[in-house]
Amino acid sequence: MSRWAADPAEAVFREEWGRLLATLVRWVGDFDLAEEVAADAIAAAVERWPVDGVPDRPGAWLLTTARRRAVDLLRRRQNYAAKLAVLKVEAERDELARLTEPAADTGPDVIGDDRLRLFFTCCHPALRAEARVALTLRYLAGLTTAQVARAFLVPEGTMAQRLVRAKQKIGAAGIPYRVPSATELPGRLPAVLSVVYVVFTEAYAASTGAALIQPELADEAIRLARILHRLLPAEPEVAGLLALLLLVDARRDARVDAAGDLVLLDDQDRSRWDQGKIAEGRSLVLDALRHRPPGPYALQAAIAAVHDEAPSAAATDWPQIVGLYDVLRATAPSPVVDLNRAVAIAMAHGPAAGLGLLDELVAGGALDRFHPLHAARGRLLDRLDRPADAVAAYRRAVDLCGNDAERAFLLRCLAAAEQRTARD
């Protein structure tokens, strides 16, 4: 079990936190008060459960305890708004059973789940991207402020202020606490999915710090994607996102060696890949691709599935991957998609074909400070026996890379290219 869920009780708290907080925010209309009474309920559980035992329905116990605490605090404030909030809380006590049942048992109206409201509030487009990520990890994943700060390598005080400003923005901008309507959903859902994707990407390929992978953060991203999939089972891009995360994360154990050094996909020990995640991801991506046209997450998941299905690097169906990138490029064009497509073309049709496309990206300038572009050029120049040019590309990649493990790998590539240059 991860250090973020060190015992069974803590695991229960983490699992219930998002549901508990989401319901409390709806009831009291205040993030700070909801967080305060949720924390009080968990503190009470820490005190009482070791003596009384964990209740059969821990979520209902926590929600009842938090509600009583909220009523007490609001009554003390002796103002009209607080009295209205108390009345609202009291009127909704009968919802406890429904709110604490698993999403799969709530029938067709799962879109009304309070956690879904909280997802769309935390990921509202009026908020800065960094604020959306911080709010989602704090209030839906249940990480402490210190844990969120540690995940993104910023001081705890900095992250605390980021959260405070984000909550103030929600109030000042009048961001509604609701699920978008059916007509609004297509425009709002991508922002929610993007936050989960950003969390996973940072976990699986950390942009800074010593370690390449943050396993606990990757697990949280997958858990958030699972919650979204349970809440929105008919949305193909939600299934596509979960599939993508599972199919990529399946290679986690092979991505670094015993010393923590980066291992490229072609060199990984595929016997260490998680076949359970691959099977689940393949099933999800097949469902997502049945909808036309396929969305960008479904297409990226399909690409990951082709990689995962190959018994060896040499057996990878690169022409199929190029074809999928062509569709992705038409669906969601971006310079990063062009970069990945160029690498796939190099694998399918030779390094010279891919290098020409990468050189066009360099000339365009959009990815000038994106170190994977320069690292990819270095590898293709190596394959073309142009070590001096490879040295220049690797040096640029090293200068831009912020992760210690990845920089160490690039330095080894640079040293090898420099040795070849000295021999020529």
Side-chain angles (χ1 to χ4, degrees), residues 3 26 35 46 59 75 91 144-145 227:
R3 57 186 168 86
R26 177 166 62 87
E35 187 174 6
V46 170
R75 282 176 174 158
T144 65
T145 302
I227 291 172

Side-chain angles (χ1 to χ4, degrees), residues 131-338:
R132 298 178 205 170
V133 173
L135 287 169
T136 300
L137 288 176
R138 177 70 190 98
Y139 296 113
L140 280 153
L143 304 191
T144 65
T145 302
Q147 288 166 341
V148 179
R150 186 164 62 245
F152 290 92
L153 300 177
V154 299
E156 182 177 351
T158 300
M159 182 56 67
Q161 286 301 310
R162 187 176 298 175
L163 289 165
V164 168
R165 288 193 296 270
K167 288 184 288 185
Q168 290 172 341
K169 175 70 172 181
I170 288 172
I175 293 173
Y177 183 63
R178 64 176 178 83
V179 177
S181 67
T183 56
E184 294 173 316
L185 191 62
R188 291 286 307 281
L189 184 58
V192 177
L193 301 183
S194 175
V195 166
V196 178
Y197 180 72
V198 165
V199 171
F200 179 80
T201 300
E202 181 62 27
Y204 196 76
S207 57
T208 57
L212 183 65
I213 299 174
Q214 299 184 70
E216 296 91 348
L217 193 59
D219 290 340
E220 288 306 319
I222 292 172
R223 190 168 73 89
L224 290 170
R226 288 192 187 282
I227 291 172
L228 279 172
H229 188 242
R230 287 199 299 270
L231 298 176
L232 295 169
E235 288 293 330
E237 275 293 81
V238 177
L241 174 65
L242 178 56
L244 174 61
L245 269 52
L246 289 168
L247 290 164
V248 172
D249 195 61
R251 312 172 203 144
R252 183 198 300 182
D253 290 345
R255 192 154 187 264
V256 293
D257 61 20
D261 292 331
L262 169 65
V263 180
L264 293 181
L265 181 62
D266 288 355
D267 301 322
Q268 289 177 12
D269 178 358
R270 298 183 179 220
S271 68
R272 300 183 64 194
W273 289 3
D274 188 322
Q275 295 303 316
K277 288 180 179 177
I278 291 173
E280 183 182 1
R282 289 183 71 248
S283 176
L284 286 164
V285 76
L286 289 173
D287 288 342
L289 289 173
R290 290 192 180 100
H291 296 77
R292 292 290 184 267
Y297 290 112
L299 289 167
Q300 291 177 78
I303 293 168
V306 175
H307 282 296
D308 287 1
E309 290 166 358
S312 66
T316 302
D317 188 347
W318 285 107
Q320 183 181 4
I321 290 175
V322 171
L324 287 167
Y325 271 122
D326 287 341
V327 179
L328 179 60
R329 190 183 186 210
T331 302
S334 79
V336 173
V337 171
D338 289 340

Side-chain angles (χ1 to χ4, degrees), residues 64-141:
T64 299
T65 303
R67 177 183 61 79
R68 289 171 179 164
R69 177 64 173 156
V71 169
D72 181 56
L73 289 175
L74 287 167
R75 282 176 174 158
R76 291 180 188 178
R77 295 182 182 181
Q78 295 295 313
N79 60 55
Y80 183 70
K83 290 178 181 178
L84 284 180
V86 171
L87 290 173
K88 189 175 183 181
V89 171
E90 295 285 2
E92 293 179 345
R93 71 169 69 183
D94 290 339
E95 291 190 274
L96 285 172
R98 179 184 66 80
L99 291 166
T100 53
E101 286 297 320
D105 296 333
T106 58
D109 193 31
V110 295
I111 199 166
D113 189 294
D114 285 319
R115 287 172 301 175
L116 197 55
R117 294 185 181 94
L118 191 55
F119 263 115
F120 281 99
T121 299
C122 290
C123 300
H124 196 277
L127 298 169
R128 294 169 60 92
E130 61 182 18
R132 298 178 205 170
V133 173
L135 287 169
T136 300
L137 288 176
R138 177 70 190 98
Y139 296 113
L140 280 153

